[in-house]
Amino acid sequence: MRKVADIPMGFFTFRERWERISGIRCRYESEGLETASAGSDLSLPENALPDFNEFDLSIPVNEYLGKYTLIEKPWQIFQLNQKAILFDYRLATSQRISAELPSHVKSIGSFPVFIEEGAMLEHCFINSKDGPVFISQDALIMDGAMLRGPLFIGRKTVVKAGTSIYGATSIGHNCVVGGEIKNVVMMANSNKAHHGYLGDSVVGEWCNLGAGTTSSNMKNTAGQVKLWSMYKKDFEFAGNKCGLIMGDFSRAAINTSFNTGTVTGICSNIFDGQELTPKFIPSFSWGKDGKIKYDFEKVVIEINSWMAFKGQSLTKEMIETLTNIYQKQ
């Protein structure tokens, strides 16, 4: 659904991050492997993350222009999200002053907490012992929410009452989250609004996880988790912790139980979750096993119904992209 350069982790997409570092608009061109070009003095792979190991706000960001780690696998998005958050915090807060933390918010820890103007924090708890916490403009943190850094909360995102969020987590703009979340990258406009566990996972844009939905992120044997590679058409080892990798516009019904290291494509309507899901759920699945293909007209109608909740709708470009992917399934 998007170029690699436009995948978010930390606070920003790869494109946004390098533009902030360099001060130059990034242009990405595809010829075989993706390459990046940002003006005449900078050339980088579009999946390059600054190789940042110290939380030192005094080091000029342009020192990292030639130092990077390549994000080559989907699970690296959450595995290296702590590094991204630590680096992006300095980009987002440079020469800025945080709004005052309300007196009714309990905060401990030595890393900084940055609150943008307009963020609304009710009686909640913030622990920055392990990393910084950034709460964006117009976000709402409800009563009893417990937040641990490193953590990014996007604009207009709602963290519901009693939610527990552990680092290293990035919740995108205009999301609704609840329950227990750990080491997750959730892209914009997605919801996990109810109780249930989500850990070591990547959730695409415009996804919805129904009440009670839970993902397993570790095998009972504590062994290596295998993840389906759509590129290789085979399984790859992803480490000993990996939860859910979910494509854009996919939705899970209440009480869905995702198997350890589950991959879903885009636009899947996942239900009938009496047992653990298969490890791979193809794009445009109707149900959980991929045996029935979602009717495309219904896909468009139902995505627009979901997007209407947030005052948006599919663009012509989105529909063209979805059509191209659907026809290749």
Side-chain angles (χ1 to χ4, degrees):
M1 290 300 298
R2 60 181 58 76
K3 294 178 71 66
V4 171
D6 297 318
I7 293 174
M9 61 186 296
F11 292 26
F12 308 114
T13 65
F14 293 103
R15 183 194 307 273
E16 291 168 339
R17 184 176 297 108
W18 288 112
E19 286 182 345
R20 283 174 174 259
I21 294 170
S22 66
I24 303 170
R25 182 175 176 81
C26 291
R27 294 178 292 106
Y28 290 87
E29 299 174 359
S30 176
E31 185 174 350
L33 294 174
E34 297 286 354
T35 59
S37 176
S40 59
D41 60 342
L42 177 64
S43 181
L44 293 164
E46 67 170 344
N47 57 337
L49 180 71
D51 197 6
F52 179 73
N53 295 312
E54 294 184 55
F55 190 75
D56 186 347
L57 300 179
S58 67
I59 300 175
V61 293
N62 58 14
E63 289 192 12
Y64 295 94
L65 286 176
K67 305 172 184 177
Y68 54 82
T69 299
L70 296 181
I71 306 299
E72 298 177 301
K73 305 293 183 180
W75 55 85
Q76 289 180 295
I77 295 172
F78 69 78
Q79 288 176 343
L80 295 178
N81 197 46
Q82 176 163 323
K83 178 181 285 191
I85 291 175
L86 292 176
F87 188 84
D88 291 352
Y89 183 91
R90 60 180 301 154
L91 288 178
T93 62
S94 177
Q95 299 182 338
R96 299 178 65 195
I97 299 175
S98 171
E100 186 175 348
L101 197 67
S103 59
H104 55 261
V105 174
K106 176 67 175 178
S107 178
I108 62 171
S110 57
F111 280 89
V113 175
F114 195 99
I115 312 295
E116 287 195 325
E117 292 289 347
M120 296 163 284
L121 282 72
E122 296 175 349
H123 290 73
C124 57
F125 305 85
I126 300 176
N127 187 326
S128 65
K129 175 184 176 183
D130 297 324
V133 173
F134 187 100
I135 300 176
S136 300
Q137 181 180 12
D138 297 328
L140 170 61
I141 315 298
M142 290 185 177
D143 301 79
M146 295 176 285
L147 312 180
R148 296 181 68 99
L151 174 63
F152 170 77
I153 303 292
R155 295 185 306 274
K156 296 185 178 181
T157 283
V158 176
V159 178
K160 296 182 74 175
T163 303
S164 300
I165 304 181
Y166 302 83
T169 292
S170 298
I171 306 295
H173 307 303
N174 208 25
C175 294
V176 180
V177 293
E180 185 180 8
I181 298 170
K182 191 233 23 169
N183 195 196
V184 167
V185 175
M186 179 177 285
M187 300 182 194
N189 300 301
S190 288
N191 301 326
K192 181 206 170 296
H194 305 287
H195 288 291
Y197 177 72
L198 182 67
D200 303 292
S201 297
V202 180
V203 175
E205 193 167 0
W206 293 107
C207 294
N208 190 76
L209 303 181
T213 295
T214 288
S215 70
S216 168
N217 66 330
M218 193 170 184
K219 296 173 67 174
N220 283 354
T221 62
Q224 291 283 302
V225 178
K226 290 193 296 185
L227 204 74
W228 180 255
S229 168
M230 295 189 187
Y231 176 71
K232 292 185 175 181
K233 307 299 182 186
D234 200 357
F235 286 96
E236 294 185 281
F237 288 106
N240 62 7
K241 285 192 176 183
C242 185
L244 171 66
I245 308 293
M246 175 173 272
D248 291 0
F249 301 113
S250 286
R251 305 179 300 281
I254 63 169
N255 295 324
T256 300
S257 297
F258 283 105
N259 212 330
T260 317
T262 295
V263 174
T264 87
I266 64 168
C267 302
S268 291
N269 191 351
I270 301 161
F271 55 89
D272 192 23
Q274 301 302 312
E275 300 175 353
L276 288 173
T277 61
K279 297 272 287 184
F280 173 55
I281 301 172
S283 295
F284 302 100
S285 290
W286 178 264
K288 70 175 186 179
D289 54 16
K291 293 180 181 178
I292 302 176
K293 192 173 183 180
Y294 213 154
D295 179 79
F296 190 74
E297 288 187 6
K298 289 187 68 176
V299 168
V300 173
I301 291 169
E302 292 171 9
I303 287 175
N304 274 325
S305 295
W306 276 102
M307 294 181 74
F309 283 117
K310 301 193 180 190
Q312 299 184 55
S313 61
L314 285 168
T315 64
K316 179 181 177 182
E317 291 74 19
M318 285 179 177
I319 293 174
E320 288 176 353
T321 300
L322 292 173
T323 301
N324 290 335
I325 298 172
Y326 189 85
Q327 290 173 345
K328 293 177 182 178
Q329 294 297 304

